[in-house]
Amino acid sequence: MTRPRLFPTQEIGSIARPRWQIQGQHRQPLDPAARAELERWNGKLEFADPADPHLRSFLSGDPNALTTPEIRDLAALFGLRYFESVGLDRVYDGEARRIEMYEFAVRQMTGFEFQGHVRSFDNKYYLKAANTSEVGLPKPYHLEEFDFVRRHTDREPKLPITGPYTIADWSYNEHYLGRHAGWKGRAVRRSAQREFVLAVAKHAIRPTLKALIDRGCRVIQIDEPAGGTHPDEAALLAEGFNAATEGLDAEFTMHICFSDYRSLFPALLEAKRCSQWTWEFANRDSADHDGYAILSMFREYGDPRKIGLGVLDVHRDEIETPEVVEDRILRAARILGDPERLWINPDCGLRTRSLDVARAKLESMVEGARRARERLEGPSAAGASAAPGARPA
Amino acid sequence: MEVVASLTGFFPRPEALVAATRDLDRGRATPEAVEALTRSTEREILGLERRNGLAPLTAGYLRWQDIFRPLAERWGGFTVGPVTRWFETNTFFRQPVLHHPPERAPGALADVFPGPAAGLGPAEAQILLPGPYTLAGVLENRSGETHEALVHRLGRLLAEEIAELRGRGYRSFLLEEPLLVVRPPRGPAAESVLAAYRAIGGSANGGDTIVWTFFGDAAPVFPLLGRLPVSVIGIDLSETELARLPVPDAPIGIGLGCLDPRTTLREDPEQIRALAQEARERLRPPRLWLGPGGPLDLLPYEAARRKLEILPLARSMVDGGPR
């Protein structure tokens, strides 16, 4: 039996949407930049047949040469090949079919009404919904996209899905809060928020996870970027995770980023079915600050689970060198005391970087992981062993 | 007892301005077009404030990207740093980075406040500023000054700013101080807050200085808040139980943050009236100031507008109007 190789690699979620996808879905003729982008990436990744007459018409400026579903399929294939060609062990489609992680998920559910845009910062905004009635789910989502990915890759797909805590935290709580009589002070708000999180977990996320698992999905990343927003709600974050995964059998990971992780210990460790903590670290790693020192908390609390180690800062264009990636991996392995617990990934989705920058970062990540492997196992093992969880051919 | 109602922070941009500012960033709109829309939106918000009997007036502070930005861009010693979470919300600000002790030049902030161009005279305008403790606490301090010295220095600079604005006819100065209740100062830090506000309180020359706290429970720090030499202390009623507030030694105006910007659920004016009655009986303030418990730009425009319309109803009931 082949021993699982050290430091397998994975992506986290979204990548920048190609210009040709955006224009195509808006039924605009491709401009020269979009055309060149599509041709260039197809030359590299071969995700579409360049002789296909519909593709040729699309490239020639006919906005109706491909239907919207066909454009989305093409974009999903592009995302898949983008990750595969870098050499990642676990892949997905770059979330090519989703508007974004909050709005897409909420639009699948009932009980929400979109209210308008809220400023995130500067001139950046996001659309925010209010929960106005009991949370429901007409049908599970992400199923078709998962089927498509599985049909088109021989790697292990890792499906990302927005978690219940984040859905609730990024929404206004009207329904569950409104059921409480009297003034809505802190204690009432907390109680109502728990009801809201658990309702999303039980009535929307869990049915979707179950349906995905029934379709063969084995690795699911539950995204909780809001997880660190309210440190005193770490127990609720874990409770929501447990409710969403209750009685389900798959490999669940939890992605959190840009948070004060220390404040989440030990309450978060109650997320019992989480087998991998996939967190951002590189963003906080610098010459005068060890961004990976926080990993010692896992030793402190005796938590043996795997770590999805963020080694790429997704907010900077500067490309981490393979040496920097290698150093980060080896540092983390030393702190944890067990290199076999590490998966290697970017801090977060690379959507905010250009496709070229993101690709260069991922290539560096894969090479850095190879170097770290070679350092610990020797040159012969660096590329020979199998990735954990690789799908049998 | 006087009862006042006003906005106490930013108002959200309406959808059209959201779209225009996005387009500006993407090169699809001109600065002139966005300026024209901003100007008309300021007038729209002023109209909204006036129709609802609010005073002083803000015009929404639509141009400010965050509460710290004008100072970080115009005072000496600062640069504008990384995107940073705005307390426990899903919104962010750019963290000011202080490289050496801060300094200000006269007139540095002259054109950042709403004024006649927005249809607003200085005497009726609400000046918004970050409080010295919050500013000192959120910035990255590379200046070499201690936190306490920095709080005091920022207080003095804000006092200079207020004195200059007072000279131009502005009368009402609201300082946002969420950090005072989120991370209450103790010991020397508390003394530095007192010193900073002594400077600020002495600068308004008959105008109003309002310290507005939010996102945290004011009860633990209320003994300190009650000693600040300012006109009004604002508390967030979504976080603070009035029954736990100690009675101030000297009369001080009380601001009741009675609209929760973290939910679209509308508050019941009758419940606000009851809370105001409780505040009046317990704290015996010379003035009650009703406003949002935090910046309403945590809500989309229409939801904020609906919330704002609660204020005149509540004020009327607090004043003894219809129940």
Side-chain angles (χ1 to χ4, degrees), chain A residues 213-227:
Chain A
I213 292 166
D214 288 347
R215 299 244 184 158
C217 188
R218 300 300 311 151
V219 185
I220 299 173
Q221 171 183 299
I222 297 185
D223 288 324
E224 292 286 16

Side-chain angles (χ1 to χ4, degrees), chain B residues 137-159:
Chain B
V138 304
L139 58 74
E140 183 183 340
N141 185 3
R142 299 180 188 170
S143 72
E145 273 201 309
T146 65
H147 175 73
E148 289 74 22
L150 186 57
V151 171
H152 193 183
R153 185 190 292 274
L154 289 170
R156 290 199 304 271
L157 294 178
L158 286 163

Side-chain angles (χ1 to χ4, degrees), chain B residues 17-42:
Chain B
L17 192 54
V18 166
T21 49
R22 273 180 160 170
D23 284 348
L24 180 68
D25 281 2
R26 293 168 183 165
R28 297 179 194 152
T30 64
E32 293 76 19
V34 175
E35 170 59 25
L37 186 57
T38 305
R39 182 69 52 82
S40 66
T41 308
E42 286 173 336

Side-chain angles (χ1 to χ4, degrees), chain A residues 22 26 102 113-132 165-166 169-187 189 225-233 257-259 315, chain B residues 10-13 15 17-19 21-22 24-25 61-66 69 83 85 87-94 215-216 237-240 257-268 271-272 275 297-303 306:
Chain A
I22 296 168
H26 283 99
Y102 169 75
E113 292 176 19
F114 279 93
Q115 303 290 306
H117 286 90
V118 173
R119 181 159 55 167
S120 175
F121 64 96
D122 292 0
N123 295 339
K124 306 281 189 292
Y125 309 86
Y126 68 102
L127 194 57
K128 191 161 173 173
N131 161 243
T132 53
Y165 183 85
T166 293
D169 188 66
W170 288 0
S171 304
Y172 299 111
N173 182 352
E174 281 195 19
H175 174 68
Y176 299 96
L177 187 59
R179 294 197 306 196
H180 293 256
W183 188 250
K184 310 298 188 282
R186 189 173 182 79
R189 283 207 319 276
T229 309
H230 310 279
D232 61 348
E233 288 186 356
C257 48
F258 310 109
S259 300
H315 287 144
Chain B
F10 295 174
F11 202 69
R13 295 169 177 170
E15 295 295 327
L17 192 54
V18 166
T21 49
R22 273 180 160 170
L24 180 68
D25 281 2
Y61 279 77
L62 304 172
R63 297 162 192 273
W64 288 33
Q65 297 291 38
D66 58 60
R69 192 74 55 84
V83 172
R85 188 178 295 279
F87 294 93
E88 291 189 14
T89 72
N90 190 35
T91 66
F92 302 83
F93 65 96
R94 289 197 183 271
F215 293 160
L237 287 180
S238 298
E239 300 283 344
T240 305
C258 56
L259 305 179
D260 185 352
R262 289 158 294 192
T263 173
T264 43
L265 196 65
R266 296 182 73 204
E267 287 76 8
D268 178 355
Q271 289 180 359
I272 296 172
L275 288 165
D297 68 344
L298 297 177
L299 295 165
Y301 182 83
E302 281 304 318
R306 289 194 295 270

Side-chain angles (χ1 to χ4, degrees), chain B residues 238-300:
Chain B
S238 298
E239 300 283 344
T240 305
E241 288 178 42
L242 283 169
R244 295 182 54 232
L245 294 183
V247 178
D249 292 335
I252 189 166
I254 295 294
L256 299 179
C258 56
L259 305 179
D260 185 352
R262 289 158 294 192
T263 173
T264 43
L265 196 65
R266 296 182 73 204
E267 287 76 8
D268 178 355
E270 168 54 28
Q271 289 180 359
I272 296 172
R273 186 206 61 76
L275 288 165
Q277 182 63 25
E278 184 182 347
R280 186 165 10 204
E281 288 170 2
R282 269 185 54 74
L283 306 172
R284 306 228 165 261
R287 182 159 40 165
L288 265 185
W289 195 300
L290 305 180
L296 281 182
D297 68 344
L298 297 177
L299 295 165

